[in-house]
Amino acid sequence: MTILNPNLLSKGMTEAMNAAVPVMRAVNKRLLTPEILLLTFIRLPDCTAGRLLQRSADSRGFKLADLEREAEAGARSIAGRPADFDFVTSGGDKVALSMEMVVVLDEGKGIAQAADEVWIGTEHALGAMSQVGVSTSGLLQRYGITPTAMTGILADQALAKHTTTQDWVALAKQGQLTPVYYRQSLLRDLVSLLTLSGDRDVILVGPTGAGKRALVYSLALLVAEGKGPDGVKSVVEISERALLDNAPQAVQAGLRQAAGGVLFVPNIQRFLGGYKAEFAQAEKSLQKAFLEESTIVIGTTTEADYNERMASISTVTDHAHVLHVPPATLDETVAILGTHKPRFESDYKLDVQSDALQVAASLAGRYLTAKPLPGAAMQLLHRACALVRMSEQTGLPFRPDVPADARLDADDVRLAVSLMTGVAVSKLGADERIKYAQMVEHLKARIAGQDEAVLVVSRAVKTARVGLKDPKRPIGSFLFLGPTGVGKTELAKALADFMFGSEDALLALDMTEYQQEDSLNRLIGAAPGYVGFEGGGQLTDRVRATPYTVVLFDECEKAHARILDVLLQIMEEGRLTDGQGRVASFAEAVVILTSNLGAQFLSDLSLGDSAHELAMQAVKGHFRPEFLNRLDEIVMFNALSPEALRLVLDLMLKKEAKLAEGRGLKLEVSEAARVWLLAQNDHPEWGARPLRRIIERHVRQPLADALLAADVKPGTVVKVDVGAKGLTVTMA
């Protein structure tokens, strides 16, 4: 048996065929016949054929129940002749078709193609059932449903819902098009281009999510109100499924349907560019449309796709106008969200508070920069609504200690942003102005002995945060110079915690692992066709997923020259394209490079200010001027003085106390013990790193031994002091 090609059927026809199977079994038949399908159409009032039958009954004055009774009698009495075709249901069952059913589908295909349709719809099958020679024709014709009548019905656009194309203007007139916010200046520019006497095709260029489709929606609504450009009566879009099934036929159908109006082609670059095009077979048909005056083509694409695939095609560039669609402003985004508020409330059954819209627009523009406004804000609001709705349905609170209810407010939106970005909710709700005013004090509480470095970094970050920087470049690009163990990495961690809520926002890359040219692939991913290209890049994948990141390139002087070229691009353009052509934006990232160049000068406290000059000479001798000029600041870290080492020790012991507190213990380290710990540092030139090992050996390990030896109760005080043989650890 041959399996019926499922791509022949529209979605509605597939659903009707599935619904016909239980009807077939109810009338005790083993073949699916036209009579059974007709009976199914009558009992499916929401399918197109069902609506057509009801309208025919209303206009011709017969009762649909009478037709149903006769159709059921025919379904029970007519067995049909078996054909060599099976229909496979959505459940995977095979159902045999009668020969008459195959004829109906074949005739329906011809009717569909004549109507510029890619698939057989229920209306086309109904039209085939009325044809002479089909077993259902006599019954239908007795009720006035003749081939001539069906031809007229199918020609009526208001009755037959096309499956290959959609006319947005017709949908708008029927009240089926969702209202959108009019971006007046852009809509005015688009209408003016469509009012020209010739060459009225338009390519809308802008980032994904900027509102290109919404602009065309606005045009359709304007035309439906009778206020559109002269001669534009329709705005037709081709179904994505039709394009995937048969792109050339779908484009031809779309062009015929859009005659005298607009053919809207989202992501038009998919049709252009030869072998690179996803729908290359339809390229010639679409290019011809740019040469014809009967149909206007409006396409959308991004700047990169336009430059790569379209800028060199004269058919397009000579006859189409480019209209740039920038991201929406914050005020526009709030207004756009307000327009969509009723739909959000209906879809999610929530009361969306006005403050949630304002916060969604603000936080999306600030934290979800991978997509522009208004798209990022729409995505955020969907996510927040879904989380609250889930909480309400399951009873599991979305916000801790807050009962689930059917309301979405600003706090819900903040928590959704936190889940999407990893930025702590407390950071999202904090006053940014107050927060950054206290930045120096916050960092000094973690970084000892490097006050000048903290001041330099804080100034640069605060300048960027008040908007006094190129918005495309990173928040800050710094080169940290200094000997090992003086706080370079610790300052990077402190920045990640302060700015983005967690030290986990730090991405540390050891450049000693990137000394070979081919190691670049590990950062940005290999190009298609090379081994491992599917894996992406360690750097680009992370920044694209979490753009709020401090990226640390440790010991950058050891990286290959090609790696340094990549760093130069990040600092200059704020973006990086990976091996698969995807762009990672560094506009919300902080870029830190560390180097030991000149460390021997900075570690010599006796050199004073001249140490900085000598270190800079070493740096200039290694890096190209254009590389150094892209840095916001070169930050010098001096060797730690004995006083600074004591401060570092105190900070480390505070962390130990917090660890002990997690076990319910109170850790007390005497002054004598602190002096003793410092005295164990035989290599002060290595900075604070030896102190970490000293604390591990003389405090943490003895404490662990004590906890294993006895059942220590919560609330126990652990005292660390100096005894005759070194440190002592006692518990009370």
Side-chain angles (χ1 to χ4, degrees), residues 339-553:
T339 303
H340 289 276
K341 181 172 176 283
R343 182 168 66 86
F344 278 100
E345 293 181 325
S346 174
D347 289 349
Y348 294 100
K349 298 179 176 58
L350 296 173
D351 179 15
V352 178
Q353 303 293 293
S354 297
D355 63 348
L357 305 182
Q358 183 71 44
V359 171
S362 176
L363 293 184
R366 171 74 179 81
Y367 289 98
L368 304 179
T369 54
K371 181 181 287 187
L373 295 176
M378 293 286 287
Q379 179 186 19
L380 171 57
L381 206 56
H382 272 294
R383 181 71 178 273
C385 285
L387 288 168
V388 172
R389 183 64 180 156
M390 174 276 298
S391 177
E392 187 186 12
Q393 289 177 331
T394 63
L396 299 172
F398 167 46
R399 287 154 51 193
D401 303 323
V402 178
D405 59 17
R407 186 171 66 95
L408 179 83
D409 60 22
D411 287 336
D412 295 316
V413 175
R414 290 190 184 97
L415 190 50
V417 174
S418 179
L419 292 174
M420 295 171 72
T421 63
V423 178
V425 177
S426 60
K427 303 290 184 181
L428 297 172
D431 187 311
E432 290 277 294
R433 181 181 59 82
I434 296 174
K435 170 184 170 181
Y436 280 93
Q438 300 171 346
M439 183 176 182
V440 172
E441 290 73 16
H442 178 91
L443 296 181
K444 280 185 177 180
R446 288 191 55 171
I447 309 299
Q450 304 293 353
D451 289 357
E452 183 62 28
V454 167
L455 286 172
V456 170
V457 171
S458 298
R459 280 198 302 264
V461 170
K462 287 191 285 188
T463 299
R465 270 291 171 257
V466 296
L468 299 178
K469 81 168 186 77
D470 185 339
K472 295 181 180 179
R473 296 182 65 193
I475 294 171
S477 299
F478 306 103
L479 174 59
F480 287 0
L481 297 178
T484 184
V486 295
K488 301 190 294 295
T489 301
E490 185 64 22
L491 181 52
K493 291 180 180 178
L495 270 177
D497 179 60
F498 174 79
M499 298 181 69
F500 307 132
S502 171
E503 289 186 14
D504 292 337
L506 174 69
L507 170 61
L509 298 167
D510 186 351
M511 291 294 98
T512 60
E513 300 177 6
Y514 295 86
Q515 299 185 48
Q516 304 301 319
E517 184 174 3
D518 59 4
S519 62
L520 177 63
N521 292 339
R522 292 169 55 198
L523 282 182
I524 66 173
Y530 288 84
V531 175
F533 82 94
E534 303 92 340
Q538 293 178 354
L539 174 60
T540 49
D541 280 3
R542 169 69 179 270
V543 172
R544 193 167 51 249
T546 54
Y548 295 88
T549 301
V550 174
V551 186
L552 176 66
F553 299 96

Side-chain angles (χ1 to χ4, degrees), residues 180-183 187 213-223:
V180 295
Y181 174 79
Y182 284 9
R183 294 175 70 178
L187 186 57
R213 176 180 285 269
L215 181 58
V216 184
Y217 271 158
S218 302
L219 172 66
L221 289 167
L222 205 64
V223 172

Side-chain angles (χ1 to χ4, degrees), residues 88-342:
V88 179
T89 68
S90 57
D93 296 333
K94 293 181 180 179
V95 178
L97 303 181
S98 72
M99 187 67 72
E100 293 80 3
M101 189 70 241
V102 174
V103 171
V104 165
L105 294 175
D106 190 52
E107 290 289 333
K109 181 180 179 182
I111 295 172
Q113 290 177 339
D116 294 327
E117 296 290 347
V118 173
W119 309 293
I120 305 167
T122 59
E123 67 272 27
H124 308 129
L126 181 61
M129 289 178 184
S130 70
Q131 300 289 326
V132 176
V134 180
S135 57
T136 50
S137 62
L139 172 60
L140 289 172
Q141 289 182 25
R142 284 202 304 276
Y143 284 87
I145 305 175
T146 65
T148 302
M150 283 302 304
T151 300
I153 291 172
L154 293 175
D156 188 343
Q157 295 289 326
L159 293 179
K161 182 180 179 182
H162 287 271
T163 55
T164 302
T165 61
Q166 279 191 329
D167 181 359
W168 290 357
V169 174
L171 292 174
K173 289 179 178 179
Q174 296 167 14
Q176 298 181 30
L177 201 63
T178 304
V180 295
Y181 174 79
Y182 284 9
R183 294 175 70 178
Q184 295 287 352
S185 60
L186 281 172
L187 186 57
R188 182 193 62 235
D189 292 344
L190 177 59
V191 171
S192 67
L193 292 174
L194 300 181
T195 308
L196 295 171
S197 60
D199 289 339
R200 296 187 291 171
D201 303 315
V202 180
I203 307 298
L204 303 177
V205 177
T208 302
K212 302 186 291 293
R213 176 180 285 269
L215 181 58
V216 184
Y217 271 158
S218 302
L219 172 66
L221 289 167
L222 205 64
V223 172
E225 295 170 2
K227 301 176 182 177
D230 291 341
V232 176
K233 304 300 181 186
S234 63
V235 177
V236 173
E237 181 181 7
I238 305 170
S239 159
E240 283 290 308
R241 185 186 161 198
L243 287 170
L244 291 171
D245 283 349
N246 192 328
Q249 186 176 334
V251 169
Q252 290 291 346
L255 289 170
R256 285 192 289 268
Q257 293 290 343
V262 169
L263 177 67
F264 174 55
V265 187
N267 300 310
I268 196 170
Q269 77 279 353
R270 296 178 299 170
F271 298 84
L272 305 169
Y275 71 93
K276 293 183 178 180
E278 290 87 336
F279 303 124
Q281 292 177 322
E283 180 170 9
K284 288 185 179 179
S285 297
L286 195 58
Q287 285 202 41
K288 286 181 181 178
F290 285 98
L291 305 175
E292 299 174 357
E293 295 186 2
S294 59
T295 302
I296 300 170
V297 177
I298 297 181
T300 70
T301 190
T302 64
E303 188 82 37
D305 285 326
Y306 181 85
N307 293 333
E308 181 182 349
R309 295 199 188 183
M310 302 174 65
S312 60
I313 301 175
S314 59
T315 309
V316 177
T317 56
D318 291 350
H319 298 278
H321 304 274
V322 172
L323 178 59
H324 290 277
V325 180
T329 65
L330 182 61
D331 290 341
E332 286 177 331
T333 300
V334 174
I336 290 167
L337 295 179
T339 303
H340 289 276
K341 181 172 176 283

